[in-house]
Amino acid sequence: MDESTGARVVPMRLQKFLARAGVASRRGSENLMTAGRVTVNGHVVTELGSKVDPRVDEVAVDGRAVRLADGPVTLMLHKPVGYVTTMSDPQGRPTVADLVPTDRHPGLFPVGRLDADTTGLLLFSTDGELGNGLLHPKRHVTKRYLACVEGRPAERELARLRRGIDLDDGPTRPADVRLLEGVAARRAERLLDMPPAAPPRSSREYAAVCEGRAAARSIVRVALCEGRKRQVKRMLAAVGHPVVALHRDSFGPLGLGGLPRGEWRELSAEEVAALHAAALGRD
């Protein structure tokens, strides 16, 4: 009997044990085993049918002891520019795995992805069920972005995005799109890694900028409940305003708050519960 939960503990498959302990999803646990990273009582175990008795067997991943009481781990990272969203990269590029505690939690995986040149909130978890639920297209979990774009979108262009727009992989769902100005725009600019503005391409464009009739760049906030590849960038390019810099400031019920760029923090029990509710379609 497990005194902490009241549940009867019996020998179980090793990959199930690892998943229940929050090391990784069932599939991820199998990958850890076949990679030779899991030991039982000091011996490497790679056979997927192997069983362990949590009451007496000592299980470790990469030399770190694993117990059922550990439970899953979920955290958020404020991703900086220049890191690809993968846990390993054959090209040797910097990855988000370099920024999170994989030594303590070897089964961490990113929930979704951000492009290398996109900053902002990236979730990680060892809970495969939670990650799958948050990304499931039927859950419609909202993600909000701040985009610095070329030019100044007209209201008719923003209205097209709000209704839904045709892309090469089909029409998008309606999105909440707003042009930010004043204090809101200045706050957004501080979150965006924006390269210097390109010079005007013609004398007419230069005159328009100088006279205030055109904006070299502007800030747009986009909230959407889809997760297609490069979707925000493709949507804004489709209405004639390519993205210069992009930042995600919220995922479902969670925002970055004051988390510094490049830093991570583990989520509280209340925050994890809110994510579970969103993953069930109750956000």
Side-chain angles (χ1 to χ4, degrees):
M1 185 75 68
D2 183 337
E3 295 181 357
S4 63
T5 64
R8 182 166 175 254
V9 179
V10 296
M12 65 179 71
R13 290 179 180 270
L14 180 53
Q15 58 266 43
K16 181 178 180 180
F17 170 87
L18 294 171
R20 281 189 54 186
V23 171
S25 65
R26 189 78 64 89
R27 179 68 60 82
S29 297
E30 292 175 352
N31 292 338
L32 291 173
M33 291 174 62
T34 56
R37 299 171 60 186
V38 181
T39 61
V40 178
N41 300 324
H43 302 287
V44 174
V45 176
T46 59
E47 186 177 344
L48 297 182
S50 302
K51 292 187 176 183
V52 293
D53 185 337
R55 297 166 298 183
V56 297
D57 291 324
E58 296 181 359
V59 180
V61 177
D62 295 334
R64 183 179 178 84
V66 176
R67 297 173 297 275
L68 283 182
D70 291 342
V73 173
T74 303
L75 57 87
M76 71 165 62
L77 168 73
H78 187 160
K79 178 189 170 298
V81 165
Y83 290 81
V84 293
T85 305
T86 181
M87 301 307 283
S88 63
D89 183 64
Q91 300 178 41
R93 295 172 296 180
T95 73
V96 292
D98 302 328
L99 304 173
V100 294
T102 55
D103 54 338
R104 276 181 274 169
H105 309 294
L108 279 174
F109 63 90
V111 180
R113 67 186 301 276
L114 293 176
D115 291 342
D117 60 354
T118 299
T119 63
L121 196 162
L122 185 61
L123 293 174
F124 288 78
S125 187
T126 60
D127 187 338
E129 183 177 352
L130 174 62
N132 291 336
L134 290 171
L135 297 177
H136 197 288
K138 291 185 178 180
R139 299 295 184 261
H140 304 313
V141 177
T142 300
K143 294 168 281 289
R144 192 174 68 183
Y145 299 82
L146 300 171
C148 173
V149 301
E150 294 182 7
R152 182 184 177 87
E155 180 57 31
R156 66 179 181 278
E157 295 165 336
L158 299 178
R160 287 179 60 195
L161 299 174
R162 294 180 187 127
R163 292 192 300 267
I165 190 170
D166 287 327
L167 298 178
D168 56 7
D169 55 353
T172 66
R173 294 177 61 87
D176 181 2
V177 184
R178 301 183 185 184
L179 178 68
L180 300 186
E181 299 183 276
V183 174
R186 290 193 292 273
R187 287 175 178 170
E189 288 172 351
R190 289 196 289 270
L191 294 172
L192 290 156
D193 282 329
M194 295 187 296
R201 292 167 289 187
S202 67
S203 58
R204 179 178 296 179
E205 183 177 305
Y206 178 78
V209 172
C210 291
E211 295 172 12
R213 291 186 286 107
R217 289 177 179 168
S218 51
I219 305 296
V220 178
R221 190 180 73 190
V222 181
L224 53 106
C225 56
E226 296 179 284
R228 304 190 208 176
K229 187 175 182 180
R230 297 171 55 83
Q231 183 172 348
V232 174
K233 294 178 180 178
R234 291 191 291 141
M235 289 171 61
L236 288 164
V239 296
H241 297 280
V243 170
V244 177
L246 187 63
H247 174 86
R248 183 160 72 192
D249 68 344
S250 71
F251 191 125
L254 303 185
L256 270 174
L259 185 65
R261 184 173 289 125
E263 299 294 321
W264 63 271
R265 70 171 179 84
E266 192 168 336
L267 301 185
S268 67
E270 292 76 15
E271 290 172 321
V272 173
L275 286 179
H276 276 285
L280 293 173
R282 298 201 298 264
D283 64 333

